[in-house]
Structure formats: C-alpha cells, structure tokens
Amino acid sequence: MNESPSDYECSVHGPIRLDSPCVRPGYKQTEVGVIPEDWDAVPMHKIASEIGDGLHGTPVYSSNGAYYFVNGNNLRNGRLVITDDTRTVDYSEYKKNRKNLNNQSILMSINGTIGNLAFFEGEAVVLGKSAAYLNVQSEVDKRFVYFSLQAENVKRQFFDGLTGSTIGNLGLTTIRNAKVPFPPIQDEQRSIATALSDVDALLTKLDQLIAKKRNLKQAAMQQLLTGQTRLPGFEGEWEVKRLGDVAEIISGGTPKTNEPSYWNGALNWCTPSDITGCKGKYITSTERTISALGLNNSGARLLPPGALLLCSRATIGEIKIAATEICTNQGFKSLICNHGVDNDFLYHKILTMKQQMVERSFGSTFLEISKSNLSSLEVLIPSYSEQTAIATVLSDMDAEITTIETRRDKTRALKQGMMQELLTGRIRLI
C-alpha cells in the first residue's frame, strides 16, 4: 500500500493541503477534487449502460401476486428489504412494468430519503418512482460504483441538484451527469471495493451481534423481573406494590422562554428529545440549560443523580437515569426511589411497562399519563438484595451491548475515513 502524505511542500506557499491551488506531483485538480493523474472525473452515464427509474403511477395490486412493488424505502445497506407492508402484483402487471435489471444493477432511492442503495440480486420486483436503477458497465466493478455513490463529493452533486420544495427529488439527469473519481484499471477498482466491502461485512456482523445480545437481554428481563427465574441463593415471595409506594413521582416544568436570565445557566434541563437521542441508559448532558432563577420559576425540581427520568407525554415510557443533577420539562414524571428500592432494578422494571402506561394515558392532542395513573401501576418487588443482584446481571448485559455498539460506531467512522482516502486516490492499493 502506498500512502501519499496529506501535506507537502510548495515552492510558493510552503506546506499546503490538498485543497490548495498547488497540487502535489502525480495528482491533478478536477471538478471532483484532487485525484491521481491516471484517474479521471467520469460522469455516471459513462460508467452505467442504463440509468432509469420505476413506475410513475400506481400498479394494479394483487394480494396473491408473486412480484413485489418496491420503492426507495425498501433499499437498506446494500440489500433490497421486503416488509409486511410491501404490496404485490401479478405476472401481467410485472411484465408490463418491469425494468431491464441484471446482475450489474444497483438500486438507489431518489425521492424523500436520497441515496439509499441496494444491489439487485434477481428479486422478483417492480420498481416504483422513488427507486432508480443504474446498470453498471460489465467492465466496471459494480461494488466500486456502489461505494462511489456514497462518497461525499458525489452525494454533494446529488443534493445540489435536488428539486422539490417539500420533498427532495433526485432527477435522472443529475445522476447521469454526476462525476465520479474513477480509476480506469479494474484491478484497482476491485481492490478498493474489496477493502470497503470487508469493513461492511464487519459492520454487518457487529449489527447482528448487537441484535442477538439485545434479544438475550429482553429474554433475561422477562424471566428475572417477573420472578419466573430466580438467581441462585434467593427465595421467598415477591411483594405487589404500587409504583407510587416505591418511588416519589415528580413532575417537570418550563420557565418562561422569553426571559433571557432563565436560560443558559449551569443546570441541565431535560426534554424528551434528549431522552430519545441518548445512547445508553444514563443522561449526562442536555441540549439546553437553565439558571437557578429559571428553575425557581419553572415549577420543576432539581433532581439528584440516580433519578429516573420517565417520559410521560408523547414518547410515553422512554426512560433514562440521571448521571448528574438535572431538572426536566413538563413532559416527564420522574421518580426518586424510596429506601429499599434499587434504582437500576426499577429502571429495568419500568422498561417492561410501556404498554401499561400507554393504556392508562389520555389526551386529544397527544397522549399523556397522569401522576395518579402512573402512581397506581402495580410492580412486583423482591428483597433489596435480590433487586441489586438482578440489576447487576442486567446492567452487565447493558455494558456488553454498549461495548459492542461503541466498536460498531468506531468501525463506521473508520469506514468513512477509508472511503475519503481510497475513493479519491489519496491512498493507493496498487
């Protein structure tokens, strides 16, 4: 592997970057950036023998049809995904609307969500208008084109050419004219594609492992949190208690939004979007903060570390644990556990109670569970020592999942870096 330096000497400017007017030896400036001299900036229509899209209209559906009608939302991570919602058509409709797809075809979403990709692998499908197809020339490595379509310099051309004010639409002309940094030697295309495909394969394995570990945890929660399975050394009956008897339930509040002195203070102020956007079970920081004066005028309370932040409105049942002192808006009914109740145990127990909360919620604009309805929910509680033992098992499983997720995220970031280097020729593999 030959790696070219990111900085080099220019007689005029000294050390410079690739986006400088000076270009290092062996490279040239093009419309798609600096690329090797033996590469070209090639429009997509010269790489693909045909570029088209699907049916602009609604087919005649058939509940017993053997052919799926697919759109851009069926394209995910290189695969064409059929869901329970995917409609079918019969052979006559398929024959009338089928496209010239083959083993060199790449499918791409072009309406709403732009740039989702899938390799066509002979599936019996009719394409809708939000899915385009690119039939890659036989002498071109289709995997190289697949990764090139994900490159930033290509996606930028796509997004610059979007039409539509509400929902973005990527036109076929824009796709055909988009230029790609292109090594003419297929062996180099293949080497780049293989390196990136290996990373994709690792990402797939990590996603599968995460899904497996999550399923195992769900099964463990079902067994351990109901007493169906007891950990070694524990016996005796569990008690049925109301949620309001095992924890203090605290509503949140919001200070006046138009009073500057209430905002941007030292106190974390949590909203439901902070919960849904947080990985793991702990909230360590929030998008917005308020001042002590803002807290005093909000109707909320400052909650201690360990408080359970439970969404009681809209995203009912979502829950995190406060890692620091925090307050919340009125979309929460937070819980501070009473003596003899383990925070982690109750956190995991509440994760299993979302449906019960939704069933007790009401509202015309959005659903919300009241403090009294939340308080009256019943929970099975073992001894404190058994609570902590169960919580330890489940928390260890959480930690294992988080470790794998962190590895997955780092691998994904590594792939992005590799794409930037390999697909521009800054690093050569031959």
Side-chain angles (χ1 to χ4, degrees), residues 216-226 348 351-352 394:
L216 287 172
K217 189 202 169 189
Q218 284 298 118
M221 289 172 63
Q222 178 62 33
Q223 295 295 314
L224 294 175
L225 293 173
T226 60
H348 284 103
L351 285 175
T352 69
L394 297 177

Side-chain angles (χ1 to χ4, degrees), residues 235-278:
E235 55 186 20
E237 295 295 321
W238 289 24
E239 293 185 74
V240 178
K241 294 188 176 183
R242 298 192 325 152
L243 194 57
D245 294 330
V246 300
E248 181 184 5
I249 301 174
I250 302 163
S251 300
T254 301
K256 291 181 179 179
T257 57
N258 60 354
E259 176 52 61
S261 64
Y262 291 170
W263 298 94
N264 302 317
L267 304 176
N268 283 318
W269 183 71
C270 189
T271 69
S273 62
D274 293 312
I275 298 293
T276 55
C278 173

